[in-house]
Amino acid sequence: MSNSDWPLMVFTLSMQFSVGVVLLYDLFLLFPIALKKEKLPLRFQMILLVALVAALTGVVFSLLHPGNPVNAMKTLSNLNNSWLSREILFFISYSGMLLIVTGLQFRFPSAVRSYKWLLDLTCLTGLVLVYVMSRIYWLPSMPAWDSIFTPISFYLAMFLSGSCFLLLFQLNSGSWTSQKGLAVLIIAIPVIQVALLPVYMSWLEEAGDSARQSVSLLLNQYLPAFYLRLGFEILTIAFGFWAFFSIRSDTLKRRNLFIPALLAFITMVGALVIDRFLFYQQIVPIGNL
Amino acid sequence: MSTFGFYFDSSACSGCKTCQVACKDKNDLQAGIRFRRVYEVAGANWNKTDEGAWEHDIVAYNLSIACNHCENPSCVKACPTTAMHSELDGIIQIDPKKCVGCRYCQWACPYGSPQYNRQKGIMQKCDFCRDYILDGKQPVCVTSCPMRALEFGPISQLIEKYGDNRSVFPLPDPSITKPALFIKPHPGAARASELGGSIINREEVKDEQ
């Protein structure tokens, strides 16, 4: 992994985390509150702030990536052709809208319904951002990235990180149905990730010499990291089940949720960091030039 | 579309790397940056003969590769600032005032041509020695080659003279970017893939920036 890839790793993960948090917050927490015309709990206001901090972390790390950040504004010059230009456009749009909606939420916590449309639009922009982000890697010159598996992996990372964080955050304040829903996601997404692994590996085996070398790298040079990632994913599933069965409609018993939710969050972070590390590490350019 | 191209006779190349060194000298490139790279490709098997002896069928040859100024340049499409652009004469150049050094062109190019200059924080690459061409001269890699394995000229002339073969193991499928590079493969190149051939001087040619 070259030095220039570390900022990219932090950038992609923090942005996917941010979008995941905002999207699931909108769907699981804000939607029921807006429907019932209830006031937004103070605790919930912090959620968007965390998503905003994650996005701003992305800004800092994205500026560490180019060799000459002084010209950063020129990166919007090739929107017609370059996925990188498009990513920067959606990145600016998403972060800007998130900043506004977070400010509105702190200023007018009881008027959620009036600006929920802006949050919905932020979610939509975030979803497009994650897709555009994945298209950057969809290059014929890099066979290990050049497939539908790249956007799938990015979206799964987005949903998993978002759901783990939200479950941990709303231990005593969320509805038990939303907690159950988040716990189901924490179980289902790593299951999909583990199930996709052999499919992806067998696809790589068929995708030419360079792709086969990527498999060889994963199964030889990076085998310990590969197994560690798998282990973290399986642990996340296990903690997801523990969390699911700890959720009761009785509020007092929700305290039992803290330990499995925290453990699921920690193992999720481990799995995603190693997964993204291997993503950058496994590339073998076409022709291996 | 590029109007100029390189012809490379892999069967004539001795791998002396004079082209690589002359290019570095002419462009005053720091250590680790190579606009032209000479890849050493080799592969071999041991086979048992009918008499019970063992013999090898080694294949070894060189590929001298720079920017191929492709007809369908993936680096130009990838560049977010339009610093990487195609001139009217088809030569693909980098505008140093626009380049942010994001290295996306390096990912997109299947030939590893754009090179990162850490000191300047920008990308650099072969421009066919455009200043020489404008003076009516040939690129320095071509004139320096002691084996006359490299040639430069208008694409139509090169195709007429040498045919339109643009592929050789292990170069990428030319249909991806349509490189302006015409190749006479080494006679053993066709067997290199089945013999498990690979680039054996990877440490020497990789981008160290």
Side-chain angles (χ1 to χ4, degrees):
Chain A
M1 193 168 191
S2 75
N3 288 338
S4 63
D5 291 341
W6 287 104
L8 288 178
M9 188 173 129
V10 179
F11 171 74
T12 54
L13 282 175
S14 59
M15 290 313 293
Q16 284 155 28
F17 169 74
S18 174
V19 177
V21 167
V22 175
L23 181 72
L24 295 174
Y25 167 65
D26 193 15
L27 289 176
F28 280 87
L29 302 183
L30 207 59
F31 182 67
I33 288 171
L35 217 58
K36 291 176 194 165
K37 299 183 182 177
E38 291 172 354
K39 192 185 172 189
L40 195 67
L42 188 66
R43 186 177 167 79
F44 281 13
Q45 294 175 19
M46 298 303 288
I47 292 174
L48 285 189
L49 193 64
V50 170
L52 184 64
V53 169
L56 293 177
T57 309
V59 175
V60 172
F61 278 86
S62 68
L63 287 173
L64 289 176
H65 172 59
N68 185 9
V70 176
N71 287 342
M73 282 317 289
K74 290 180 182 164
T75 50
L76 289 169
S77 309
N78 198 8
L79 289 169
N80 281 345
N81 298 302
S82 174
W83 284 103
L84 187 52
S85 277
R86 292 168 193 161
E87 183 208 43
I88 291 158
L89 176 71
F90 279 97
F91 169 58
I92 293 169
S93 310
Y94 170 78
S95 305
M97 281 193 274
L98 184 57
L99 182 68
I100 294 168
V101 84
T102 307
L104 284 172
Q105 197 181 250
F106 273 96
R107 185 74 182 83
F108 309 105
S110 53
V112 174
R113 281 164 69 97
S114 60
Y115 52 80
K116 191 179 176 299
W117 64 271
L118 185 58
L119 189 66
D120 295 339
L121 195 63
T122 310
C123 290
L124 197 64
T125 312
L127 283 171
V128 178
L129 169 65
V130 174
Y131 174 73
V132 172
M133 203 182 267
S134 74
R135 284 306 302 260
I136 286 177
Y137 299 90
W138 211 329
L139 297 164
S141 52
M142 302 289 187
W145 291 344
D146 189 28
S147 74
I148 189 78
F149 291 104
T150 300
I152 290 174
S153 141
F154 280 22
Y155 277 118
L156 290 178
M158 181 194 85
F159 279 112
L160 183 61
S161 56
S163 51
C164 281
F165 173 77
L166 283 189
L167 186 64
L168 189 62
F169 207 89
Q170 55 141 353
L171 288 175
N172 295 310
S173 41
S175 72
W176 75 277
T177 45
S178 74
Q179 287 182 342
K180 283 267 186 194
L182 291 169
V184 167
L185 281 179
I186 294 170
I187 297 164
I189 293 167
V191 166
I192 296 169
Q193 285 175 324
V194 173
L196 276 178
L197 213 51
V199 182
Y200 176 60
M201 301 287 262
S202 54
W203 174 81
L204 280 178
E205 284 286 359
E206 302 296 318
D209 288 340
S210 301
R212 267 193 296 278
Q213 286 179 46
S214 292
V215 177
S216 173
L217 271 177
L218 286 176
L219 297 182
N220 293 297
Q221 199 173 336
Y222 297 106
L223 192 64
F226 183 79
Y227 278 131
L228 197 61
R229 172 205 153 179
L230 207 59
F232 275 133
E233 280 170 345
I234 291 165
L235 282 173
T236 309
I237 298 168
F239 295 136
F241 271 111
W242 184 3
F244 183 84
F245 290 112
S246 300
I247 297 164
R248 301 279 191 277
S249 54
D250 179 352
T251 314
L252 290 175
K253 289 186 180 173
R254 284 189 201 168
R255 284 178 193 168
N256 298 335
L257 190 57
F258 176 71
I259 293 173
L262 179 66
L263 290 174
F265 184 81
I266 292 168
T267 50
M268 172 279 296
V269 171
L272 289 187
V273 168
I274 298 172
D275 178 49
R276 199 52 53 85
F277 167 77
L278 291 174
F279 176 80
Y280 287 107
Q281 209 61 32
Q282 69 178 348
I283 55 161
V284 177
I286 195 165
N288 205 357
L289 297 183
Chain B
M1 179 184 165
S2 175
T3 52
F4 296 108
F6 281 123
Y7 166 74
F8 174 62
D9 184 350
S10 180
S11 66
C13 178
S14 66
C16 67
K17 302 183 177 77
T18 306
C19 53
Q20 189 176 300
V21 175
C23 173
K24 279 183 76 80
D25 187 33
K26 190 258 174 188
N27 292 294
D28 196 19
L29 302 180
Q30 66 192 64
I33 301 179
R34 299 167 200 83
F35 290 179
R36 181 167 283 281
R37 299 160 302 283
V38 177
Y39 296 93
E40 298 170 4
V41 186
N45 267 342
W46 285 99
N47 302 307
K48 200 171 187 179
T49 64
D50 293 341
E51 291 80 27
W54 289 90
E55 63 180 18
H56 66 73
D57 50 3
I58 192 165
V59 167
Y61 57 93
N62 306 294
L63 293 174
S64 176
I65 306 294
C67 174
N68 299 315
H69 300 270
C70 304
E71 287 178 36
N72 185 21
S74 50
C75 57
V76 172
K77 284 183 190 163
C79 178
T81 65
T82 64
M84 187 76 79
H85 63 285
S86 185
E87 294 283 339
L88 288 176
D89 52 12
I91 298 176
I92 293 168
Q93 291 200 292
I94 300 171
D95 182 346
K97 287 177 188 163
K98 286 185 180 176
C99 182
V100 291
C102 67
R103 306 177 80 157
Y104 192 36
C105 54
Q106 198 173 31
W107 280 0
C109 172
Y111 299 94
S113 293
Q115 304 273 303
Y116 182 60
N117 186 323
R118 191 170 291 281
Q119 282 178 357
K120 295 180 179 173
I122 57 169
M123 305 305 294
Q124 293 181 311
K125 68 170 200 65
C126 157
D127 64 351
F128 273 153
C129 290
R130 198 159 186 257
D131 49 344
Y132 280 19
I133 299 172
L134 293 173
D135 279 351
K137 293 191 282 190
Q138 292 272 299
V140 72
C141 53
V142 173
T143 51
S144 66
C145 177
M147 307 302 288
R148 294 289 173 262
L150 276 169
E151 206 171 310
F152 169 82
I155 286 177
S156 54
Q157 278 183 25
L158 293 175
I159 292 176
E160 195 180 331
K161 203 168 165 186
Y162 300 111
D164 194 6
N165 177 47
R166 306 182 196 206
S167 71
V168 64
F169 177 83
L171 292 191
D173 182 347
S175 67
I176 299 173
T177 59
K178 295 187 182 168
L181 172 70
F182 305 92
I183 302 166
K184 180 181 178 186
H186 183 276
R191 288 190 297 123
S193 176
E194 62 195 64
L195 290 173
S198 61
I199 294 163
I200 58 170
N201 65 335
R202 182 159 313 289
E203 288 303 307
E204 183 189 324
V205 292
K206 74 175 181 186
D207 178 7
E208 294 164 15
Q209 299 292 307

